[in-house]
Amino acid sequence: MNNDFILPAPPQPLTPAEQEKLRGRLIGFKGGYDEGYLRGRLAILDGRAEEVLPVRNIHVMYVASGKGYPYSPLDDAVLAALQKLTIQVTVTDVRQNLIELIAAQRPDLVLVLDGMDLPLEQINILRGAGIKTAIWLTDDPYYTDFTAKVVNYYDYVFTLERNCVEFYQELGCTDVHYLPFAAHREHYRPTTTRSPITRDVSFIGSAYWNRVNFFREVLPELMTYNSVINGIWWDRLPEAALYGERIEVGKWMSPQETASAYSGSKIVINLHRSHIDEVANNNTLSIPAVSPNPRTFEIAASGTLQLCDARDDMGNFYKPGKEIETFDSPREMMDKIHYYLNHEEERRAIALAAYERTLKDHTYNKRIDQLLTVIYGPA
């Protein structure tokens, strides 16, 4: 019997091309796993039922802003919550004659969004008839030159800016309450299947001058990643044309388009507008803004990591480092972009925690329940 055997040939080292191909394959597998895991977790959270809130036996007349986009999505959100939490809602807008409508409908409460174009003598008549009136201001503190002339006409004033509470109280308003906006789940929710959009970094918003100057400091570095900027006025950015469609200069995106872009981005930048802007603002007193903008909640509701400029009141809504990440300078922003694009598990953990926190605390159902509790007490 021949006991000889043939040893297998030793494995040949991979060529550089084969090594690169294998590396690409492994990266692809890892990316697919990370994407699938995130989408699966988001789908589980998205399927959870919201907390059941009390339905109040009141009739609310909701007066929409009448300004169209971008205010109309806010109107949709507030109206949807009112319809869930009260037994009757009558809808109108600032262009209609409220006095005639009130005579026919007799609501318990008139809630006005924005209200800058509503004839104030109509509010006086409503209050004289014993009907409760409330206004929810949409743009504080950026237009306080205008809102200061309006707030004293209402029984209740709600503002999304903490620093405006004391300002309106000093004007003589007795019932002023801090009530930020929130996320409307019909508009902002994560993509739970494979996303049709794949970006490293997104920013969506108008090119206020503080944003233009901020991004100019780091734009070449930012654009080495798969980064896209969307919004109006970005032709103010001298370098915009160098990046083609990656910097969109003049389009309002619908909430659904925006949510899809957020959810398809690994990181979404939220850079607030400045309270000092001689071109865009009407804030002569330069009341500083410390509260989160509506975009804060909308990004979190879309299931991605939010990288936001630090604001004093942010920690009351999301825990920095756990549910949101913040920055104080363009350099810090870029350092954190680099870090989280290379630490997927940490990025994913923050995105999931933010989404879960939003569903628990920061929906319009929760905000409207707060508003009604202020006016009518606990249900």
Side-chain angles (χ1 to χ4, degrees), residues 3 19 32 75 129 156 175 194 213 245 309 323 339:
N3 291 324
Q19 292 177 17
D75 286 320
Y156 301 90
D175 261 305
R194 189 171 184 83
N213 295 331
E245 295 181 352
D309 57 322
E323 297 166 333
Y339 180 85

Side-chain angles (χ1 to χ4, degrees), residues 259-270:
S260 181
Y262 286 162
S263 193
S265 302
K266 292 185 176 182
I267 297 172
V268 175
I269 299 168
N270 181 8

Side-chain angles (χ1 to χ4, degrees), residues 16-271:
E18 291 171 330
Q19 292 177 17
E20 188 63 27
K21 184 177 180 181
L22 178 59
R23 179 175 176 274
R25 186 179 300 168
L26 293 174
I27 291 173
F29 286 153
K30 177 68 164 56
Y33 169 82
D34 290 338
E35 171 85 358
Y37 183 86
L38 175 62
R39 302 297 165 192
R41 288 289 303 278
L42 289 170
I44 292 170
L45 293 172
D46 192 54
R48 290 182 182 174
E50 286 190 46
E51 178 185 351
V52 177
L53 298 172
V55 178
R56 297 171 187 265
N57 186 27
I58 57 173
H59 175 194
V60 179
M61 177 172 285
Y62 178 61
V63 184
S65 65
K67 291 184 174 180
Y69 202 78
Y71 293 87
S72 51
L74 297 175
D75 286 320
D76 293 343
V78 176
L79 177 59
L82 284 171
Q83 290 171 332
K84 291 177 181 176
L85 300 179
T86 65
I87 62 166
Q88 184 178 352
V89 181
T90 299
V91 186
T92 183
D93 64 43
V94 295
R95 296 166 295 188
Q96 309 306 313
N97 188 317
L98 296 190
I99 308 307
E100 294 178 0
L101 292 171
I102 292 295
Q105 300 289 338
R106 296 300 303 177
D108 302 294
L109 168 69
V110 172
L111 174 61
V112 179
L113 188 78
D114 180 70
M116 294 302 102
D117 297 328
L118 181 63
L120 295 174
E121 62 271 15
Q122 295 191 30
I123 301 300
N124 275 337
I125 293 172
L126 299 183
R127 293 179 71 180
I131 295 171
K132 295 179 185 294
T133 60
I135 187 169
W136 198 356
L137 296 167
T138 59
D139 293 296
D140 281 339
Y142 309 111
Y143 301 121
T144 46
D145 295 351
F146 300 145
T147 58
K149 301 173 184 178
V150 167
V151 288
N152 275 302
Y153 285 81
Y154 291 86
D155 297 310
Y156 301 90
V157 175
F158 296 90
T159 173
L160 79 169
E161 172 51 55
R162 188 184 71 187
N163 274 350
C164 282
V165 173
E166 183 177 359
F167 172 62
Y168 294 140
Q169 289 172 337
E170 290 173 349
L171 292 177
C173 297
T174 56
D175 261 305
V176 187
H177 304 273
Y178 176 33
L179 191 68
F181 288 128
H184 182 33
R185 292 191 67 195
E186 297 304 311
H187 290 164
Y188 292 94
R189 62 196 321 153
T191 303
T192 54
T193 58
R194 189 171 184 83
S195 175
I197 293 175
T198 54
R199 299 179 183 175
D200 290 333
V201 183
S202 282
F203 175 81
I204 299 176
S206 301
Y208 293 106
W209 283 110
N210 71 298
R211 292 171 175 169
V212 171
N213 295 331
F214 184 96
F215 280 118
R216 285 198 76 187
E217 289 192 37
V218 291
L219 190 63
E221 184 179 357
L222 177 65
M223 296 312 247
T224 62
Y225 300 105
N226 178 16
S227 303
V228 179
I229 295 173
N230 302 96
I232 62 172
W233 306 335
W234 283 102
D235 50 348
R236 291 176 171 178
L237 187 66
E239 299 86 356
L242 298 176
Y243 299 99
E245 295 181 352
R246 295 176 63 197
I247 298 181
E248 189 174 49
V249 300
K251 178 187 175 184
W252 285 112
M253 294 173 66
S254 72
Q256 292 79 7
E257 289 177 301
T258 303
S260 181
Y262 286 162
S263 193
S265 302
K266 292 185 176 182
I267 297 172
V268 175
I269 299 168
N270 181 8
L271 179 61

